Amino acid sequence: MKLQRKNRLRALSLGAVAVSGALALTACGSDDTGKSNGGGSSATASNNSAIKCDDAKGQLQASGSSAQKNAIDAWVAQFKAACSSVQINYNPTGSGAGITAFTQGQTAFAGSDSPLKPEEATAAKKACGGNAAVDLPMVGGPIAIGYNLDGVDNLTLDASTLAKIFDGKITTWNDKAIAKLNPDAKLPSTKIQAFHRSDESGTTDNFTKYLKAVAPSDWNYSGGKAWQAKGGQSAQGSSGLAQQVKQVPGAISYFELSYAADGINTVDLKTEAKAPVKATVENATKAIATAKVAGTGDDLALSLNYKPTEEGAYPLTLVTYEIVCEKGNKADTLAATKSFLTYIASEDGQKLLTDAKYAPIPDEIITKVRSTISSLS
């Protein structure tokens, strides 16, 4: 175990050097048993798993969810030392832009924090030669509510209060609704600076789905990837929101937990459970485990449960999907696409997620994902 840890850190260091500008990485796939999964030669990765490049070569273009960028960085680090035949350029443009690029045939796959909508699925058929695209859940995790409030290191909020904050109905930090939830906190009269995504985002979609599901009387918007509430301030991508929270006194925003790693305080959410729930990978996993497959056939779109009743289940979660053609993939990118997706869905690939502050996809679901990937053509 110590040797594996040391090797993993070494690989992370190597991978970090390779990332600049648009995310560039070298990717090769393995199955979850470490055995080869096709023709070609294999190489042993730094974690002692057999990484199989098969006949993959050239470049893959992919874009979409910024939520999964840190997960992809972790996968990059594992693969760089093992395979040099494939280069993947992943651009974290946001879920909406990623789906648009995919449906226009510009990328081999897209990352999205929400499954394809009916109109997007119809558009994707053109890029897939008349075949369907499938949603493959690959990364799970909590959406953290980060805040910047001097002297307040612990803060509890509920869905109703969050809805009012992001709808401009609660404007100062010492509002009575916040004070009621935090009787021991010394709340200042600082003005609340609520930040939302300026780009279309699956994180926004999941955040507003949570508000609508849990506090429907306080969140009167239909939801979706584009922000709909009036007022507030905006920033590009999850990294942009996290940066604003770090820099602006009184700020509050929503982003994946991995973006709160640099000293940003996060809100505990009050649920039906006895105690408020912290935003942790373990607590998000408890909630994601209650998700149900809503897609049909090989499509594995999930229906998330925003009202878990289990103690310690963090209700505000998301799942990032890789969206790819079930059939009709371009011949020059098919091998590389399958190789890369095979790895990240593998046992080794999923194990990396926890260290990167994401939640692995539950076994029952990821097993189906692996089966679908193996049949892509």
Side-chain angles (χ1 to χ4, degrees):
M1 293 298 292
K2 291 183 178 180
L3 179 59
Q4 288 182 339
R5 179 66 176 173
K6 185 179 294 183
N7 286 338
R8 177 179 292 180
L9 292 174
R10 176 178 178 272
L12 284 169
S13 177
L14 289 171
V17 175
V19 180
S20 61
L23 181 64
L25 61 119
T26 305
C28 298
S30 71
D31 64 17
D32 57 305
T33 64
K35 298 177 181 179
S36 62
N37 55 0
S41 60
S42 65
T44 300
S46 55
N47 64 354
N48 295 324
S49 294
I51 301 293
K52 194 71 173 178
C53 293
D54 300 324
D55 297 321
K57 59 184 178 180
Q59 293 191 1
L60 286 181
Q61 301 296 327
S63 65
S65 167
S66 63
Q68 69 173 8
K69 178 185 179 297
N70 292 335
I72 287 182
D73 285 350
W75 287 323
V76 171
Q78 287 297 320
F79 289 109
K80 182 62 179 177
C83 274
S84 59
S85 57
V86 180
Q87 185 176 17
I88 299 178
N89 298 309
Y90 183 83
N91 191 1
T93 54
S95 298
I99 289 174
T100 297
F102 176 75
T103 59
Q104 293 177 349
Q106 299 172 7
T107 55
F109 65 91
S112 176
D113 308 334
S114 299
L116 291 170
K117 294 181 178 179
E119 62 272 20
E120 293 170 336
T122 298
K125 285 187 176 182
K126 296 180 180 179
C128 298
N131 302 288
V134 289
D135 301 288
L136 303 178
M138 204 70 74
V139 180
I143 299 175
I145 306 297
Y147 69 97
N148 182 343
L149 196 58
D150 189 37
V152 181
D153 296 329
N154 296 288
L155 187 70
T156 295
L157 296 175
D158 58 15
S160 175
T161 307
L162 281 171
K164 293 174 183 176
I165 288 173
F166 281 90
D167 199 22
K169 295 175 181 176
I170 291 178
T171 58
T172 60
W173 279 107
N174 63 348
D175 186 274
K176 61 182 181 180
I178 300 176
K180 184 177 179 179
L181 291 165
N182 300 273
D184 297 327
K186 295 181 179 180
L187 298 169
S189 60
T190 306
K191 181 180 178 181
I192 294 175
Q193 306 284 351
F195 285 87
H196 58 265
R197 288 281 287 267
S198 59
D199 52 322
E200 289 198 356
S201 161
T203 311
T204 293
D205 190 21
N206 283 277
F207 177 51
T208 55
K209 281 180 179 176
Y210 162 74
L211 296 178
K212 190 169 181 63
V214 185
S217 62
D218 298 307
W219 191 255
N220 300 309
Y221 303 96
S222 60
K225 294 185 179 71
W227 185 259
Q228 296 174 331
K230 303 293 189 268
Q233 302 178 65
S234 64
Q236 176 82 20
S238 294
S239 59
L241 292 181
Q243 183 177 20
Q244 291 300 320
V245 170
K246 287 190 70 173
Q247 295 177 347
V248 178
I252 186 171
S253 191
Y254 56 93
F255 36 77
E256 296 69 41
L257 181 62
S258 62
Y259 288 93
D262 296 326
I264 296 176
N265 288 325
T266 61
V267 168
D268 296 347
L269 291 181
K270 187 178 185 303
T271 68
E272 295 301 318
K274 295 179 181 178
V277 185
K278 294 185 177 298
T280 68
V281 169
E282 294 77 14
N283 290 345
T285 299
K286 293 178 183 178
I288 293 173
T290 67
K292 305 296 184 184
V293 175
T296 58
D298 287 332
D299 185 81
L300 297 172
L302 301 179
S303 177
L304 297 176
N305 179 13
Y306 296 109
K307 296 181 180 181
T309 58
E310 295 81 1
E311 291 293 325
Y314 186 79
L316 181 47
T317 62
L318 62 73
V319 168
T320 292
Y321 301 87
E322 311 311 325
I323 297 171
V324 65
C325 297
E326 183 177 16
K327 297 180 180 179
N329 290 279
K330 295 179 181 178
D332 59 342
T333 59
L334 174 60
T337 299
K338 291 185 69 172
S339 180
F340 178 65
L341 294 181
T342 295
Y343 171 76
I344 66 177
S346 72
E347 184 178 348
D348 286 340
Q350 289 290 298
K351 281 180 179 178
L352 292 183
L353 292 177
T354 301
D355 287 342
K357 296 188 181 298
Y358 294 95
I361 301 300
D363 289 342
E364 181 180 354
I365 297 172
I366 201 66
T367 299
K368 296 176 182 179
V369 170
R370 294 166 186 158
S371 177
T372 297
I373 293 171
S374 69
S375 64
L376 297 179
S377 63

